Amino acid sequence: MSAAASARQILTSLHEVMASRLHAQGKLDSVVEIIGESLTSEVCSIYLLREGMLELFATRGLNKSAVHVTRMAIGEGLTGTIAHNIETLNLAEAKAHPDFSYRPETGEEKFHSFAGVPIVYRERAVGVLCVQHVEPRRYEEVEIEALQTTAMVLSELITNADLVDEEEALGLTAAQQGPQTVTGLSLVKGLAAGIAAYHQPRVQITQVMAEDVEAERQRVYLAFDKMREQIDGLSNQAEFGIGGEHEEVLETYKMFAYDEGWSRRINEAIDSGLTAEAAIERVQQHTRMRMREIDDPLLADRMHDLEDLANRLLRIVSGQLGTAAQQGLRKDTILIAKNLGPAELLEYDRRRLKGVILEEGSLTAHVVIVARAMGIPVLGRANHGKGGLRGIVRDGDEILLDATAANATVRPSPQVADAFAQRFAKTKEKQAAYASLRDVEPFTRCGTRIQVMMNAGLRDDMASLAMTGADGVGLFRTEFQFLVSATLPQRERQLKLYRDVLDAAGDKPVIFRTVDIGGDKSVPYLASRIAENDENPAMGWRALRLALTREGLMKAQARALLEAAAGRSLYVMFPMVSEPWEFDMAKAVFDDQLAFLRAKKKRVPEAIHFGAMLEVPALAEVLDLLLPKLSFLSVGTNDLTQFLFAADRGNPALAERYDWLSVSIMRFLRRVSQSTVGTNVDLGVCGEMGGRRLEALALLGIGFRRLSITPAAVGPIKELVRKVDLAELTAAMNTWLAEPGINLRQALTDWAAEREIEVD
Ligand code: PEP
Ligand code: MG
């Protein structure tokens, strides 16, 4: 008998049981018999969730007296692990698994092999179906598939037949009622209040068993067609005429979409009697299990693509289309997602999107860079064990997000809501006070004008320029356009963006940094070849290194910038310059393009100012050679400090270990600052550090007079600047930097407190 036929037979028998007049317990008793027999397995058991514990509800092969007696906590033993991780286990020797927990009342000691699958309802495990066998052997693929199918049918049965507590079945556990606190990692600081909305509204599989197999086949066939059309549509947008790596990535995606094996397995599942939705989900569950077993990071990436495609297919086939963005936000919203791409975030209505909670995410994830630029607080790594956030938060729940303190309160009590409202009001008051500084020029007490510029990367960021009164854009991260595009942006698209940005800036300068792609900012259409040999991407083939080898990329950007700034001043900055010749080579690309435009009698910029970022420590040793070539130098402290301390900037475990206010960093930066004295080079800092008040104070004290910072920090930094006497601060810094064992952070905090300068 073929695998599909035997699966169909199981399903038919299950169908008969379900349709029978047996009461629920009787049905479960029959199910364990059917499964045990079909898989020639000595044991088949069903555990269901009751009062937060997994209780043995039916068994064939274990001691009957254990039924309704054996109970396991979620996460306890193999059964609990399956429910906790919502994963399938297939073990030749159950005892060898680290989570094995022996229950003497069951009499299971003689059984060696074990396989179990979760019974899932609305993404929560509400039970576990497992089989055991005396002989130590792994169960075969078809057997596991039969178990997975049965688990789906059981999910329908137990929720229809009140077999698990109604609230538990609905996913309403104690954890989903009353106030709860979700903790995580602060990725973008700030406060926000709104209702919870999941980015990916879940697809509800309402029917597992097919009534008309042919009709289900047809539905899945049409859904495949539509999905493939969508994927082809994506790859047709791939327009940039250089390189072609983006196509490689899309090709992989396409390969999955057209994968015969995948569609065949789904069709086989339909043949066995499942609906199209249940078949897609079943096959996906199975793939997930196999990928987990392989444990290869490359395959894990591919799994992400495959999950994405399977969800797409599921949404098409069920007609439950769209993300929360596409369905539209109706109220102030805190968005919840496992992870997001920057483009997905940008699809949301900015007026209603107040905050984001991610189950994954890291400080340098693209989405976080974009959210920071949009001023949207983000809490990351908020993954709460059992069933993830879905186990705690439901769509529509009220949430108070305090991303500064790295937590969120779900369904807050009135007292907590009041306290939050007061804090919120205070921060708003402060923001209003900063806004009043908009037109005030930041002179220090001693009369030195400090340049307070802002960092930007998207067209929409430019609104902050007028709102904050910043002196200009000290760092425009041009790679953001690349990060949010599905395909490499063509020259015309770049030109349009740069022109819009310059228009929005009016008389204020904008320093465009050429693309800093690679490292933590990889883009899918360039990723494959870049990543190939990069074991350490932050120090790998990124930024200028990449741009100079991909000449077409650099040329297109140079031309777009030169044309956008026709008749105005253009400021161009190169990232990750490691040796002066790299600067020369990058500048030569611009010189060539300029000559080309002139030859074509096209209008060119009135003036072009070239600058470099100091992010690679080695460059500091050759500033005497580099500075004569530059109009400005901008220290990228995010990268520079990670290289100085050899501490990955994206690694949260190292985030607190080395201080920006360390003597080593400060002495290094002071030396850089001193080497620009007497030159015409305008020196600044454009890393995150400059936007923190205590750090900004230190930078002012070692000679920095230009800071380019995140827009939200412009007001607070202006306020700080106005309270500082530079001579006094510089003297203090010099004393401290010579003092053995000094705690610079403490010294600066005390110094500021004595002068009533707010630094938090
Ligand atoms: C830096 O490294 O400090 C910097 C400003 O660049 P990015 O954060 O974009 O790498
Ligand atoms: Mg950098």
Side-chain angles (χ1 to χ4, degrees), residues 415-551:
Q415 295 87 326
V416 170
D418 276 355
F420 188 88
Q422 279 175 24
R423 283 190 56 207
F424 213 173
K426 273 221 178 90
T427 50
K428 282 199 174 140
E429 242 170 59
K430 271 197 177 167
Q431 276 162 1
Y434 297 141
S436 71
L437 290 176
R438 196 184 59 184
D439 300 320
V440 176
E441 287 195 49
F443 280 100
T444 59
R445 268 183 41 217
C446 49
T448 304
R449 176 71 159 84
I450 303 297
Q451 293 290 315
V452 181
M453 304 178 91
M454 61 167 233
N455 294 346
L458 298 165
R459 193 182 268 108
D460 287 356
D461 294 340
M462 296 308 289
S464 303
L465 195 55
M467 260 157 52
T468 59
D471 288 313
V473 176
L475 165 64
F476 190 90
R477 291 179 161 105
T478 60
E479 67 274 8
F480 274 20
Q481 187 188 23
F482 290 63
L483 292 182
V484 300
S485 302
T487 58
L488 206 55
Q490 271 192 315
R491 201 180 72 227
E492 279 68 32
R493 264 163 69 198
Q494 295 184 41
L495 171 62
K496 173 143 186 22
L497 171 68
Y498 304 153
R499 201 175 265 156
D500 288 353
V501 167
L502 287 170
D503 286 347
D507 293 337
K508 293 184 176 176
V510 177
I511 299 180
F512 288 98
R513 176 177 75 180
T514 58
V515 283
D516 181 3
I517 293 176
D520 59 327
K521 287 180 275 190
S522 64
V523 289
Y525 44 84
L526 285 172
S528 54
R529 206 168 289 168
I530 302 167
E532 221 170 342
N533 298 313
D534 263 0
E535 288 206 358
N536 198 339
M539 298 200 263
W541 207 241
R542 60 174 280 206
L544 204 55
R545 299 168 185 174
L546 175 131
L548 287 176
T549 48
R550 297 182 55 103
E551 215 193 336

Side-chain angles (χ1 to χ4, degrees), residues 66 105 227 402 407 449 518 707:
E105 73 274 12
M227 182 194 67
D402 184 345
N407 68 50
R449 176 71 159 84
L707 303 174

Side-chain angles (χ1 to χ4, degrees), residues 455 475 477 479 513 516 520-521 542 613 615 635-640 649 686-688:
N455 294 346
L475 165 64
R477 291 179 161 105
E479 67 274 8
R513 176 177 75 180
D516 181 3
D520 59 327
K521 287 180 275 190
R542 60 174 280 206
M613 288 191 74
E615 302 179 272
V635 184
T637 49
N638 304 341
D639 275 312
L640 179 70
R649 67 192 253 190
C686 63
E688 298 295 302

